Amino acid sequence: MCYNASMFEVVFLGTSASAPSIRRGLPAAVVMHKEYRFMVDCGEGTQRQLLRSGLGFRRLDKILLTHGHLDHILGLAGLASTFSRWEMIDRMEIYGGRWALDRVEALMKVVFGRHRPPIRLILTDLEPGVIIEDNAFQLSAFSVTHRGPGNFGFTFQERARRPFIVDKAEAMGVPAGPERAHLVRGEEVTLADGRTIHPDDVLGPSRPGTKLVFIGDVARTDNLVEPARDADALVIEATYTGLEADVAREFGHLSAGQAAKLALAADVRHLILHHISRRYAEREILEEATPIFPNTTVARDLDHFQIRRSAPLLKVERDRRTVQPTLKDMTRKS
């Protein structure tokens, strides 16, 4: 049997909460799927992190904002300036709530003054629902609760597909080539000997695609169980531990324990925590989360993960020797 399982990749550029630390920068990440690249938030210092990660700036024209707080958007100023000066990218599509976009517009006036920006800025006011989709992939937004209006989480979802069963195709004499491609697309084919092969003859039962849910700052989880349901990876903040639950409530954030309980209730496969306060060591976050949800990882700056349906979370080592194709190879092909 052959099942061409696709995947999402996430590179964390900044994983600190509110202010940078020696080891953690301000919030930003890049989600990749086939030809797509999405940046989620863009804190100060994101440009340098892009260069350190090896991602660079290519095809980085779609930016998703979880909300409009400054630690999540200030890096857009430098990024827009760089894009316009180097003329590498002629447009930036920025998706966010209205309040976040208003702040982005004000920020761009600081960068470019009264002059028209030399790059095209496309600001899309988000509502819950589908943002982008094609025949294999869908990106959607859902509302989350945090301080201020217009806060969103994002679902990256591959469409369900039926696996092509090579053994069956070979037994029926279906040659490798266009005939198999037609069958994968659900089209029947006629072989050279006159036999008609139907997709049901060589395709297995439908399988759900990979699902990645990405959430930034959030104050409550009871309304997130269904959006996160059955995710192969849930990325969510863990700014505090339960020892400071009152502070978390005051500022609209989660503890590591709350995030872990959400992962358990939503039956996700992997929990990746980010947006960590400088007051905690990674060990403290894990000690609170893992007794509740053992399959928990605390993301570090420049961590690169591959996420596949029903498969272990795979970390791509920065020496790029352990996973093929390497990030360098993928960039070269773009």
Side-chain angles (χ1 to χ4, degrees):
M1 179 181 292
C2 175
Y3 177 50
N4 183 22
S6 190
M7 65 178 174
F8 293 106
E9 296 186 77
V10 184
V11 179
F12 289 90
L13 303 175
T15 57
S16 184
S18 301
S21 69
I22 293 175
R23 293 182 176 86
R24 297 182 183 272
L26 289 177
V30 173
V31 176
M32 298 178 287
H33 178 68
K34 296 184 177 179
E35 73 273 18
Y36 292 104
R37 278 188 175 189
F38 300 96
M39 177 177 285
V40 184
D41 291 334
C42 189
E44 285 180 272
T46 293
Q47 288 190 85
R48 184 168 183 268
Q49 294 295 81
L50 281 167
L51 296 173
R52 292 183 65 206
S53 71
L55 289 173
F57 301 127
R58 300 181 68 179
R59 294 186 288 113
L60 198 62
D61 60 351
K62 292 179 174 60
I63 299 168
L64 311 173
L65 299 180
T66 60
H67 63 295
H69 288 161
L70 293 181
D71 57 319
H72 290 254
I73 69 170
L74 277 179
L76 288 170
L79 196 63
S81 178
T82 294
F83 285 174
S84 64
R85 185 167 302 183
W86 289 4
E87 298 181 354
M88 301 171 57
I89 294 178
D90 61 1
R91 58 185 277 155
M92 290 176 66
E93 301 174 23
I94 302 176
Y95 300 82
R98 184 66 263 166
W99 181 67
L101 296 182
D102 287 344
R103 303 194 91 183
V104 170
E105 284 188 297
L107 186 62
M108 294 305 169
K109 288 179 181 178
V110 174
V111 176
F112 299 111
R114 297 181 179 180
H115 303 289
R116 181 178 178 179
I119 61 173
R120 186 181 177 197
L121 294 174
I122 302 171
L123 306 182
T124 299
D125 190 355
L126 284 180
E127 296 289 342
V130 176
I131 304 171
I132 295 172
E133 62 181 335
D134 61 22
N135 60 359
F137 159 78
Q138 185 179 86
L139 166 64
S140 58
F142 55 90
S143 295
V144 305
T145 303
H146 186 48
R147 304 193 319 275
N151 308 299
F152 291 94
F154 301 99
T155 300
F156 301 83
Q157 175 78 67
E158 288 182 316
R159 297 190 186 278
R161 65 180 71 190
R162 299 180 67 185
F164 183 81
I165 304 174
V166 174
D167 293 345
K168 284 189 175 182
E170 291 179 348
M172 300 184 75
V174 180
E179 291 86 357
R180 296 189 182 188
H182 286 297
L183 289 165
V184 169
R185 290 197 295 267
E187 305 164 1
E188 65 180 35
V189 299
T190 301
L191 302 183
D193 60 9
R195 289 181 299 129
T196 298
I197 307 297
H198 299 275
D200 288 344
D201 296 330
V202 295
L203 299 182
S206 180
R207 297 184 181 183
T210 306
K211 180 179 179 180
L212 165 65
V213 175
F214 197 111
I215 299 172
D217 297 11
V218 62
R220 52 185 279 220
T221 61
D222 58 294
N223 59 341
L224 300 179
V225 175
E226 290 311 311
R229 176 78 65 191
D230 294 327
D232 295 282
L234 167 63
V235 177
I236 193 168
E237 70 135 298
T239 307
Y240 296 96
T241 68
L243 294 175
E244 294 183 286
D246 55 338
V247 180
R249 283 192 296 270
E250 179 182 357
F251 291 100
H253 287 292
L254 294 186
S255 68
Q258 287 176 296
K261 289 175 183 176
L262 169 62
L264 185 66
D267 198 23
V268 309
R269 289 166 181 81
H270 307 283
L271 174 63
I272 305 176
L273 301 177
H274 69 136
H275 203 269
I276 311 299
S277 172
R278 292 183 298 169
R279 69 188 74 193
Y280 300 113
E282 179 180 316
R283 169 185 51 80
E284 296 173 276
I285 300 297
L286 286 172
E287 285 176 351
E288 177 166 305
T290 52
I292 301 167
F293 193 82
N295 206 7
T296 299
T297 299
V298 173
R300 301 173 180 175
D301 284 18
L302 306 182
D303 273 357
H304 178 174
F305 297 104
Q306 292 181 349
I307 299 155
R308 291 181 172 86
R309 186 67 183 177
S310 303
L313 184 70
L314 183 61
K315 183 177 178 180
V316 181
E317 296 302 327
R318 289 190 63 194
D319 62 11
R320 301 172 190 153
R321 289 193 297 264
T322 60
V323 175
Q324 297 296 329
T326 65
L327 188 57
K328 182 177 182 181
D329 292 335
M330 290 186 285
T331 304
R332 186 183 299 119
K333 293 176 183 178
S334 62

